[in-house]
């Protein structure tokens, strides 16, 4: 499946369904058990937020957010501000389903306003790294999957769940702080190898 999707540009969703069907027909897994193990709430959440981002984009919300953010930043603060924005958004939403589709067009507009001082690859690297670093937040899709997976694998008490929630969120906050600092220090330019 990976070879077909990456090497031959097959549609990932459709290819996944075909391979899942093949595995079910071959009896590789008990489909009832597999379907029970799917975190449906998280999947529905991601689909809903993806739809919301499309609506916001169609209504001009991306341009509005872009204008607001570029009004707050300058050439030296653009990368740390976008990194912080991506981290904060990832605390409460899906990184790949919401944050990156919303912020990548904004990165393009920021580069247009502050070029040549700001590089698109640096902004994309900072947004991606920071949003993924924040994705373990239990309020995000990634953190929700972590918590639901642990709860599904063993019995957990409310106290254990609360402690896990707090630890994941604090770790996520620390991750965002470190990434914003790295953005301010221009680590995401990667020594200028992309420009």
């Amino acid at each position: 499946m990976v070879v077909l999707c990456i090497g031959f540009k097959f549609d990932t969703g459709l290819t996944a369904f075909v391979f899942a069907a093949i595995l079910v027909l071959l009896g590789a897994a008990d489909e009832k058990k597999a379907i029970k193990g799917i975190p449906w709430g998280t999947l529905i959440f991601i689909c809903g937020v993806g739809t919301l981002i499309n609506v916001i984009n169609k209504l001009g919300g991306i341009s509005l957010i872009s204008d607001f953010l570029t009004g707050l930043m300058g050439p030296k603060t653009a990368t740390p501000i976008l990194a912080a924005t991506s981290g904060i958004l990832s605390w409460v939403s899906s990184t790949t389903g919401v944050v990156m589709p919303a912020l990548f067009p904004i990165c393009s507009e920021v580069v247009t306003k502050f070029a040549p001082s700001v590089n698109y690859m640096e902004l994309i690297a900072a947004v991606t790294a920071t949003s993924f670093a924040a994705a373990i937040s239990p309020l995000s899709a990634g953190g929700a999957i972590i918590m639901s997976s642990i709860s599904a694998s063993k019995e957990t008490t409310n106290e254990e769940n609360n402690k896990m929630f707090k630890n994941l969120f604090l770790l996520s906050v620390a991750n965002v702080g470190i990434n914003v600092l790295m953005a301010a220090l221009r680590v995401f330019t990667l020594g200028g190898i992309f420009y």
Side-chain angles (χ1 to χ4, degrees):
M1 183 184 134
V2 172
V3 171
L4 289 175
C5 292
I6 294 175
F8 298 98
K9 308 290 186 223
F10 277 46
D11 180 83
T12 308
L14 182 60
T15 307
F17 276 116
V18 169
F19 274 82
I22 291 169
L23 290 172
V24 167
L25 291 173
L26 293 174
D30 179 11
E31 67 271 7
K32 289 180 183 176
K33 232 174 150 182
I35 289 173
K36 270 188 176 177
I38 295 173
W40 289 106
T42 303
L43 290 176
I44 291 169
F45 167 73
I46 292 169
C47 292
V49 173
T51 302
L52 178 64
I53 288 296
N54 283 334
V55 170
I56 289 171
N57 194 17
K58 294 277 186 205
L59 295 175
I62 299 293
S63 297
L64 187 67
I65 294 167
S66 176
D67 292 343
F68 173 75
L69 287 174
T70 54
L72 294 176
M73 60 180 69
K76 292 185 180 189
T77 59
T79 307
I81 287 174
L82 277 175
T85 303
S86 71
I88 291 167
L89 288 173
S90 282
W91 283 339
V92 294
S93 63
S94 167
T95 296
T96 54
V98 178
V99 177
M100 291 193 294
L103 291 184
F104 285 175
I106 292 171
C107 289
S108 178
E109 293 192 27
V110 169
V111 169
T112 302
K113 181 169 182 177
F114 296 116
S117 302
V118 177
N119 179 278
Y120 187 69
M121 291 302 293
E122 177 185 7
L123 290 178
I124 293 298
V127 165
T128 303
T130 308
S131 58
F132 274 113
I136 61 169
S137 162
L139 299 171
S140 172
I145 290 171
I146 291 170
M147 288 193 66
S148 66
S149 297
I150 292 171
S151 295
S153 67
K154 65 175 190 157
E155 278 295 318
T156 54
T157 64
N158 280 341
E159 186 179 309
E160 289 172 325
N161 286 335
N162 290 340
K163 185 177 180 183
M164 186 173 22
F165 184 96
K166 183 179 88 172
N167 289 343
L168 285 172
F169 190 74
L170 290 176
L171 185 57
S172 178
V173 170
N175 287 345
V176 170
I178 290 167
N179 275 272
V180 170
L181 178 62
M182 288 182 356
L185 295 173
R186 309 233 14 182
V187 171
F188 294 107
T189 61
L190 302 174
I193 61 174
F194 292 115
Y195 53 96

